[in-house]
Amino acid sequence: YHNLPQADALAKIADGGRFWHRMGDVGYRDEKGRIWFCGRKAHRVKARGGDMFTICCEAIFNRHPAVNRSALVGVAEADGFERPVIMIELKKSAATLNKEKLTGELLALAAGEAVSKNIADIRYVDAFPTDIRHNAKIRREDLAAEAAKKPA
């Protein structure tokens, strides 16, 4: 960061003779040396059972043929943790599906995976709010506010 030494120090991690640049993303390296992307650090849900990451959880729900895309958000709770809520945007062809049955199917998918088993709150929205410059950037803070308006 030009002329911002404090910001530069926060964004760089010394590793021997080289530096890593922090991008605000979360991931891990597996036993084969592969790098797995989990999502943005700012978008993680600080759930009672541990941090939950968007990409990991959303991939479970996105496998369902009726789901166009999903978004994991957290709703603040009195104890300082967040309740994980998965927001679902359906494919246009799925608009008339029975939501109660679909919710059961999605919860069954979630229960079968360690990263999503604690998600018990599913909400449906017609379309995700997105950044006007980048349609792929979901405005999760808007979705979280919407989820907080309705009880679980």
Side-chain angles (χ1 to χ4, degrees):
Y1 295 95
H2 183 66
N3 291 331
L4 297 172
Q6 289 176 323
D8 200 45
L10 288 172
K12 307 286 186 203
I13 303 168
D15 182 18
R18 45 186 199 167
F19 286 89
W20 292 84
H21 181 74
R22 291 184 182 176
M23 303 286 294
D25 295 332
V26 177
Y28 63 95
R29 199 181 291 259
D30 70 12
E31 66 282 348
K32 294 182 179 177
R34 297 176 295 191
I35 295 175
W36 293 89
F37 173 65
C38 298
R40 302 286 296 160
K41 183 178 178 184
H43 295 157
R44 76 185 181 280
V45 173
K46 297 173 186 173
R48 201 169 276 102
D51 287 354
M52 299 175 76
F53 299 97
T54 56
I55 299 301
C56 304
C57 293
E58 293 164 7
I60 308 304
F61 295 93
N62 292 346
R63 292 190 314 218
H64 193 287
V67 173
N68 184 43
R69 57 187 173 172
S70 61
L72 175 69
V73 299
V75 174
E77 303 216 84
D79 60 4
F81 290 105
E82 294 174 304
R83 177 171 37 90
V85 178
I86 197 79
M87 307 296 281
I88 301 290
E89 180 185 270
L90 295 173
K91 292 180 179 173
K92 291 192 187 329
S93 60
T96 60
L97 288 178
N98 177 316
K99 295 256 177 58
E100 190 174 316
K101 180 177 184 266
L102 178 58
T103 298
E105 292 172 3
L106 292 171
L107 289 173
L109 277 175
E113 301 289 342
V115 297
S116 56
K117 68 181 179 184
N118 294 327
I119 297 174
D121 194 348
I122 295 177
R123 310 288 177 89
Y124 298 92
V125 295
D126 293 331
F128 286 164
T130 56
D131 183 290
I132 59 171
R133 298 163 297 161
H134 308 284
N135 188 41
K137 288 187 177 182
I138 299 167
R139 291 195 334 250
R140 292 169 191 279
E141 60 283 349
D142 293 353
L143 288 175
E146 184 65 29
K149 290 180 188 176
K150 302 172 191 168

